[in-house]
Amino acid sequence: MPGFAFNPIVLAIEGAVIGFLIAVPVGPAAALCIRRSITFGAVAGYLTGLGAALGDAVFGAVAAFGLSFVQEFVELHEAWLRGIGGLILIGMGWSTMRHRLPTIGDPVAEDREHFIATHFHFATSSFFITVFNPLTVMAFGAAFAGRNLAGVGASLPDAAILVAGVFAGAVAWWAIVCTASVALRQHFTGKGILWLNRITGAVILAFGVVALISLLPLPWRHWAKALNL
């Protein structure tokens, strides 16, 4: 849409709404955010949400800047991305199910380098879960097209404002999820956290299994159309 001037305030608001709504559907990142907020506290939950929001911002940038070669790559290698993402989720789910909280006085748990690496892991794991979901870039592309924002990439400042709005909207959603989860933390004892790990891990593992099953040569699109999905 060359030559068309976008209102920066409207762009920021639209980006925030799109980022918020695309982040809302419950998935493995949400399961991780809830579990970490309850198990490790607010910082762990916020870092997990921040990583997912950064993943949304990456795909928001792809759609905003009209990086068609990235979209084409995702569409061309969708099966590979789903397969890799599915394996990552299965591994992460299994690890979460078997996770045990560190004991008091554990020298490894109290080590500063371990602390930094753990917090870095909180953000990167949710980031990779998000970027290995090929549906995310398609969702952003459809949302931008539906709101007549496909031409915003002609202006670098406009595209940057839109992507910043997407990031802010996604962060807002994860802040809500994390805050609500932390409020429930006091109700979880040691056994409760053990079951939380098992349930969360099972949910994440199930998403991975579904991703791998979707690679089977079955008429998924025909069934989805028949069910109006």
Side-chain angles (χ1 to χ4, degrees):
M1 202 178 295
F4 183 83
F6 290 94
N7 185 310
I9 297 177
V10 174
L11 273 182
I13 294 174
E14 293 220 43
V17 171
I18 291 172
F20 185 92
L21 293 178
I22 289 182
V24 165
V26 176
L32 276 180
C33 184
I34 294 170
R35 178 245 173 184
R36 288 171 177 172
S37 297
I38 294 174
T39 305
F40 300 105
V43 174
Y46 286 128
L47 286 174
T48 301
L50 182 64
L54 284 172
D56 286 335
V58 167
F59 280 142
V62 169
F65 287 101
L67 302 179
S68 59
F69 65 93
V70 177
Q71 297 183 25
E72 291 172 2
F73 176 85
V74 170
E75 293 175 3
L76 183 63
H77 300 282
E78 180 183 351
W80 279 99
L81 292 174
R82 261 190 289 155
I84 294 173
L87 291 174
I88 291 174
L89 290 176
I90 289 174
M92 189 175 295
W94 179 251
S95 175
T96 300
M97 290 175 68
R98 294 170 54 85
H99 184 268
R100 298 290 185 275
L101 289 176
T103 57
I104 297 176
D106 185 349
V108 175
E110 295 178 356
D111 181 73
R112 180 175 177 80
E113 291 184 3
H114 178 267
F115 177 83
I116 295 174
T118 299
H119 282 71
F120 180 72
H121 169 70
F122 289 152
T124 54
S125 57
S126 56
F127 173 81
F128 283 113
I129 284 177
T130 303
V131 298
F132 272 102
N133 183 359
L135 297 178
T136 307
V137 68
M138 299 176 189
F140 274 109
F144 283 8
R147 297 300 302 168
N148 294 320
L149 297 172
V152 73
S155 169
L156 179 60
D158 286 345
I161 290 172
L162 182 62
V163 174
V166 167
F167 177 71
V171 167
W173 167 250
W174 292 115
I176 293 172
V177 172
C178 179
T179 303
S181 301
V182 170
L184 298 174
R185 192 181 184 198
Q186 59 182 331
H187 301 292
F188 282 81
T189 61
K191 183 173 288 188
I193 290 179
L194 180 64
W195 276 104
L196 177 66
N197 289 340
R198 291 173 178 172
I199 294 171
T200 304
V203 170
I204 296 172
L205 192 148
F207 274 105
V209 171
V210 170
L212 294 183
I213 290 176
S214 69
L215 298 177
L216 296 175
L218 297 173
W220 302 112
R221 297 184 186 276
H222 175 73
W223 292 345
K225 187 177 180 180
L227 296 172
N228 293 321
L229 297 179

